[in-house]
Amino acid sequence: MSRATYARLAALSLIWGSVFLWIKISGYGFSPVQMVLIRLALGAAVILAIAYAKGLKLPKDAVVWGHITVAALLGNAIPWTLYAEGERNGSSSVAAVVNGSAPIWTLAAALLLATEKRITGAKAAGVLLGLGGTALIASPWNGAGTGSGASILCFFLGSISFGASFAYMGKFLVGRGIPPLMLAGSQLTVATGLLLVAFPFLGLQPVIWRTDAVISVIILGVVCTGFAALLNFELIIKDGATVASTVTYLMTAVAVVLGAVALNEPLGWTVWAGAVAVLAATGLLRKKPRTPAAAAPAEAAARQVSNATAKP
């Protein structure tokens, strides 16, 4: 790989790996719904501005918007709020590692939606390894090392919703001729609307105007949600989807290191062992069987959509 490729890969890994740190710090001043609403609105504004500058247009099909709404609920509104809620009393490092188990739930959802016809030996091994890793991370016998039971539950439910969104988008949104960047902007816009609906019921807590929380939520929205999408597309277009997919592994490592260094979060052996198992499982689940050449464009489009719209 070229130096430019390494630079793009490092930058995106650092940006997305820092998401969990910014969520934790933003939570010092904002409630989960407040934080996610601001993040979504800022991210949508940045992505749509970039998309319009590139001459892209919003979808017009009402059916497509219906699918985008479901994808926004599963891939953004629910999991982002659950991660923010979990990090109120939980570890940002554990949140990042549990997030890495999303491919397990993507496979499960794909089987339910019949987009995955069979499970290869590698994928079966990946599911078992991933489940074992998540059990180690949860460590019900050692809760003090990983956070409260409620926070762990939020992380796992968020990961399940997150993973299911990949399968849903693959079945209902890929192949409709929508540019992935505009799809990402549309999805974040709809998710912003969903949070606005929830705000009067769940978001009216008093805001604590801490400088670190305000700066963190702005970084979370503008940089980690908005500009990171553009950087991701640059990585996919210039370096390929295979290189871009390695961000999944690198961002988890970055998140764990940032949690330990910046937040002094304790990491017991169960988290480390679980992290290794989850990352290995992700590798097995992402391993693609040989497919006819005609299937390649559809698979590439699916990877672009999932990379663009459903990062944590």
Side-chain angles (χ1 to χ4, degrees), residues 223-287:
V223 179
C224 298
T225 307
F227 285 112
L230 181 62
L231 181 57
N232 179 53
F233 280 113
E234 287 291 311
L235 194 63
I236 292 173
I237 293 170
K238 294 182 179 179
D239 307 300
T242 300
V243 172
S245 69
T246 61
V247 172
T248 300
Y249 310 96
L250 296 173
M251 62 177 278
T252 303
V254 168
V256 170
V257 170
L258 287 176
V261 173
L263 300 174
N264 197 30
E265 293 177 343
L267 291 174
W269 72 268
T270 54
V271 175
W272 287 111
V276 171
V278 166
L279 289 175
T282 301
L284 290 171
L285 291 171
R286 283 176 174 266
K287 186 177 181 181

Side-chain angles (χ1 to χ4, degrees), residues 37-224:
L37 176 58
I38 296 170
R39 176 187 178 183
L40 285 167
L42 291 175
V46 170
I47 293 177
L48 288 178
I50 295 170
Y52 278 118
K54 291 178 174 289
L56 304 177
K57 304 294 184 182
L58 286 170
K60 296 182 179 180
D61 191 336
V63 174
V64 169
W65 280 105
H67 290 312
I68 289 175
T69 300
V70 176
L73 187 66
L74 291 176
N76 303 108
I78 290 176
W80 289 7
T81 304
L82 284 171
Y83 281 123
E85 177 65 36
E87 286 199 43
R88 295 177 75 178
N89 298 303
S91 163
S92 70
S93 302
V94 173
V97 175
V98 174
N99 175 74
S101 69
I104 298 172
W105 315 117
T106 300
L107 176 60
L111 290 170
L112 289 174
L113 293 172
T115 56
E116 185 79 25
K117 302 299 183 182
R118 62 187 180 88
I119 300 180
T120 62
K123 288 186 176 181
V127 168
L128 293 175
L129 188 59
L131 291 175
T134 52
L136 278 173
I137 297 164
S139 300
W141 59 88
N142 186 29
T146 57
S148 69
S151 67
I152 295 294
L153 181 61
C154 284
F155 298 151
F156 281 121
L157 291 177
S159 179
I160 291 171
S161 181
F162 207 42
S165 72
F166 289 149
Y168 187 88
M169 288 185 286
K171 182 175 177 65
F172 295 108
L173 289 172
V174 169
R176 290 181 175 267
I178 307 170
L181 191 61
M182 182 53 78
L183 181 57
S186 301
Q187 185 171 317
L188 290 179
T189 301
V190 172
T192 302
L194 294 174
L195 264 292
L196 282 172
V197 172
F199 188 83
F201 307 98
L202 301 172
L204 296 180
Q205 298 89 335
V207 174
I208 301 174
W209 294 103
R210 293 178 46 146
T211 302
D212 56 354
V214 173
I215 292 174
S216 294
V217 78
I218 292 173
I219 292 173
L220 197 58
V222 174
V223 179
C224 298

